[in-house]
Amino acid sequence: MTDAATVKPMGAGPRVRSAPAAWTLWLARRLGLAVLTLWLTSVLVFLATTALGDPVKAILGKSAETSPARAEQIRAQLNLDDSIFERYAHWLGGLLTGDLGTSVANQQPVSELLGDRVINSGVLVLIAAVVMIPIAFGVALICANARGRRTDQAIQLVLLTLAGLPEFVIGILLVAVFSTTLLHILPAVTISAGGESPWQNPASMILPVATLVLAVAPYIIRIVRSTLLEVLDSDYVELARLKGVPERVVLRKHALLNAIVPGIQVIALQLAWLAGGVVIVEYLFSYPGVGASLVDSVRNSDIPMVQALAMIIAAVYVVVNLVADVLSILFTPRARTAIGS
């Protein structure tokens, strides 16, 4: 006797989505995760800044009791008389509509204060990435081609040394070498006239860019080198060698192409780290970016500025990782087939 519940109706096989629908669904899920991550970050940022204590006392100090009018103004500006849920809803609504609030220290809109700073930091990270990526892949190729020889060993020693140094130590060493009596050829700080962008004085950007590159490149080089060596030891590369394919062609066409996807992932992680790690470098070289603004805002207890800067850094981190995921899928045929099928 046949159980009717176990009989599948005719034509009721697994649903097969078209490739565009499958890609749309995958991208929608990935965007949903990104939005969820940013929302959770907004909750943590708001709770962390709220837990710092009474912002009126933090901003005014002892004058909070002698300046009741100013204290009341700050309380009204930060909606401190509302419940924590109402304050979060008001702040989140402002974020979603592009209203980042008003700086307590400067009494100016946060968006106006941060506009040029965000652009300056973006240019600094972009230049560092443009310099870093070809250098990282080039050095990794040299190491893989000279595996085990003195050249490879010397480069690995330098990379391990750089990887063990914090970015502020690298920056101080560069300043000591290139901006003191030893080699006084580059400015130690980034100083630009009012209204000018820092890249209008390219010499002042060399040391900040060099610090970021030296702090990040060793990790990328080591990952790409490991991937290259793994590919060079694979069976299909050995088969290509047996067919008489020159080693430089094997290295360039087989090994390097397969190292792109891991390279994209580690580059994305390092660029995302730069979004936050650039704070120290900017402060060290007095670079007018979000890093220096974040330090000044924390020092002045300027909560709207701190909240806005934290969300900007988090958004950059999420977007960079999202772009890296998309590029990794596009460069991996097996992953493309899995999503589109």
Side-chain angles (χ1 to χ4, degrees):
M1 181 176 180
T2 305
D3 189 352
T6 62
V7 178
K8 296 181 180 178
M10 293 182 62
R15 295 180 59 187
V16 178
R17 298 187 183 91
S18 62
W23 273 97
T24 303
L25 181 61
W26 177 85
L27 192 58
R29 287 176 178 171
R30 195 64 184 82
L31 287 173
L33 286 174
V35 173
L36 177 63
T37 303
L38 286 177
W39 174 72
L40 291 174
T41 304
S42 73
V43 174
L44 293 176
V45 168
F46 183 80
L47 292 178
T49 52
T50 303
L52 293 177
D54 188 356
V56 176
K57 293 182 178 178
I59 295 169
L60 297 180
K62 295 181 180 179
S63 61
E65 298 179 357
T66 58
S67 304
R70 174 62 176 151
E72 186 61 29
Q73 179 189 3
I74 296 175
R75 295 189 67 84
Q77 182 177 335
L78 299 178
N79 302 307
L80 297 180
D81 293 329
D82 297 339
S83 68
I84 188 171
F85 298 104
E86 292 174 330
R87 287 157 56 192
Y88 173 73
H90 184 270
W91 176 68
L92 184 62
L95 278 180
L96 295 177
T97 57
D99 181 9
L100 301 179
T102 302
S103 169
V104 177
N106 298 291
Q107 294 301 312
Q108 295 180 24
V110 172
S111 56
E112 292 183 7
L113 293 173
L114 291 182
D116 291 339
R117 299 296 184 110
V118 172
I119 294 174
N120 292 343
S121 292
V123 171
L124 179 62
V125 173
L126 179 63
I127 294 176
V130 169
V131 174
M132 172 184 62
I133 292 173
I135 290 178
F137 275 89
V139 174
L141 275 173
I142 294 173
C143 292
N145 195 36
R147 172 171 46 176
R149 296 201 289 270
R150 289 184 178 179
T151 303
D152 182 33
Q153 294 172 353
I155 294 176
Q156 293 306 310
L157 180 61
V158 173
L159 294 178
L160 286 174
T161 303
L162 289 174
L165 296 176
E167 57 270 23
F168 68 91
V169 174
I170 296 175
I172 292 173
L173 291 175
L174 290 177
V175 170
V177 173
F178 296 103
S179 303
T180 62
T181 53
L182 184 60
L183 287 174
H184 191 61
I185 56 178
L186 292 172
V189 295
T190 305
I191 298 177
S192 54
E196 287 188 356
S197 302
W199 56 85
Q200 290 178 311
N201 182 16
S204 66
M205 296 193 67
I206 293 178
L207 290 184
V209 170
T211 303
L212 292 177
V213 171
L214 291 176
V216 170
Y219 300 99
I220 302 175
I221 294 172
R222 289 176 61 81
I223 294 294
V224 175
R225 174 185 176 274
S226 299
T227 305
L228 288 172
L229 294 180
E230 184 177 346
V231 176
L232 290 174
D233 291 337
S234 62
D235 293 337
Y236 74 90
V237 169
E238 188 63 29
L239 181 62
R241 290 193 181 105
L242 293 175
K243 290 181 177 179
V245 178
E247 188 65 21
R248 64 177 183 281
V249 178
V250 169
L251 197 62
R252 187 175 65 251
K253 289 190 175 180
H254 294 277
L256 187 58
L257 287 178
N258 284 279
I260 287 179
V261 172
I264 289 174
Q265 290 290 343
V266 70
I267 287 171
L269 289 175
Q270 295 305 312
L271 289 179
W273 174 87
L274 283 182
V278 77
V279 172
I280 298 174
V281 176
E282 288 183 355
Y283 189 73
L284 177 64
F285 293 100
S286 298
Y287 186 86
V290 296
S293 294
L294 183 59
V295 173
D296 293 337
S297 301
V298 171
R299 182 187 299 156
N300 296 326
S301 300
D302 196 346
I303 292 177
M305 287 282 286
V306 174
Q307 291 173 334
L309 287 165
M311 290 307 301
I312 289 173
I313 294 173
V316 171
Y317 195 96
V318 171
V319 170
V320 168
N321 278 283
L322 178 61
V323 172
D325 284 350
V326 173
L327 292 177
S328 298
I329 295 295
L330 293 177
F331 279 104
T332 308
R334 186 182 301 174
R336 292 200 306 269
T337 304
I339 292 177
S341 61

